[in-house]
Amino acid sequence: MAPEFEYEAVSKSGERIKGTITADNSTVVARQLREEGYYITSIEEQVERKEINIQLSNRVKTKDLVLFTQQFSVLLNAGISLVEALDIMYDQVEHPRLKEVVRSIQEDVETGSSLTDALLKHPDVFPELYCQMVKAGEAGGVLDQVLEQLSAHYERQDEINSKVKSAMYYPVILLVVAVGVVIFLMTRVVPQFISLFSSMDVELPLPTRILIKLSTFLSSYWWALFGGLGLTVALLLKYKSTPEGRRRFDSLILKIPVFGKLMRKIYVSRFTNTLSILLTSGIDIISALAIVEEVVGNKVFSDVISRSRTQVSEGISLSRPLDESGEFPRMVIQMINVGEEAGSLDNMLQKVSDFYDKEVETSINNTVSLIEPLMIVVLAVIVGFIVMSIILPMFEMYEQF
């Protein structure tokens, strides 16, 4: 649906008039008014009230991109022209930022730009992978099929990311509650017993003395503790933003017990799935590896892919540098090697990706089932230590009577 423009103009008789005209752009409105003999004083595009939404973030999420791609693919598959499909998508899209981008893309395509060039102007919405796939689809005349593949790919990645986040919600909430309970006990409950213990003419047990010192420190220097933690987190985040810091953090993630294995499976799945759909779309392996290097999401794996790309360009098979890196499981290397020899690397990569997607789901469930009882045990030990430290002196006091 074309936008509406509000105009003010003066007629030949000097009468001022106001009104609205529906047109593709302001140039069309101006031409129409001049043809009718009006002198234009102003033209402004009207903003639809329904587009004014209050959102915490204007960033286009993966789910929004998936929905747009699915609907766009259906329209093109139905034989609707590219410009008309974009016009329909403008009416369908609800996200303000994506709506704005769709209108910009439509205008660029109408003026002769390719869809790829129009998408490349909005890297904050359409990733490099998306643009390169669309470019391959336009070149091969299979844009609707490529959009279906992109939709399935991003939906798959979003599903995995959502599962990981959902799996971490309960442990994080439990950790926050545990920290809150401990702080409350140490700063509100324990100080009530300190005066009582001080008046007792007995030597306090070691656990009680430790508890009193910790409680006194938290009550007196809580600001230093939280300030130090905040400063430490800020410095770590700043260091992580550097190339070396990111490399060290990403390397550390892969070494964390249990969680590191889960993240490695996610990165392997992302690598194989992304490379598979790029090769299937007809993109050469060198360009495909360059794209995967940017989207894999871990600096350690990115460096491995970068070195592999260099060696592949020199005529070495992909499986060799991946094997030498030590970051990829042996099964993955063997499957890639077989795919290269059989000339069906894209199909083999997709099979590996399907396998690791199932492994990721199983690992998530196993990780959650392990973390939950572990955190409950840790919380029970901490609270038990506090309770024991309070009760032990009381037993000794009762023994004196």
Side-chain angles (χ1 to χ4, degrees), residues 308-369:
S308 300
R309 177 164 55 89
T310 302
Q311 294 188 39
V312 169
S313 65
E314 296 172 353
I316 299 174
S317 66
L318 175 61
S319 58
R320 180 176 171 182
L322 295 182
D323 188 20
E324 293 174 350
S325 70
E327 298 296 339
F328 287 82
R330 187 63 186 167
M331 186 270 286
V332 176
I333 302 299
Q334 292 175 343
M335 294 283 281
I336 291 177
N337 188 33
V338 171
E340 287 181 306
E341 292 181 355
S344 57
L345 181 58
D346 52 344
N347 293 331
M348 196 63 70
L349 286 169
Q350 190 59 52
K351 291 180 180 179
V352 175
S353 177
D354 293 339
F355 172 79
Y356 271 93
D357 281 349
K358 296 177 182 177
E359 284 288 298
V360 167
E361 187 171 354
T362 302
S363 297
I364 290 174
N365 295 332
N366 292 339
T367 301
V368 172
S369 63

Side-chain angles (χ1 to χ4, degrees), residues 276-314:
S276 172
I277 64 171
L278 286 169
L279 295 178
T280 303
S281 300
I283 298 175
D284 65 275
I285 190 169
I286 304 300
S287 301
L289 287 172
I291 297 171
V292 176
E293 180 183 338
E294 297 297 325
V295 303
V296 70
N298 184 282
K299 186 61 176 174
V300 175
F301 277 82
S302 294
D303 291 344
V304 171
I305 297 169
S306 178
R307 292 193 297 269
S308 300
R309 177 164 55 89
T310 302
Q311 294 188 39
V312 169
S313 65
E314 296 172 353

Side-chain angles (χ1 to χ4, degrees), residues 169-184:
Y169 284 154
Y170 179 75
V172 169
I173 293 174
L174 188 59
L175 178 62
V176 171
V177 171
V179 172
V181 169
V182 171
I183 292 176
F184 174 77

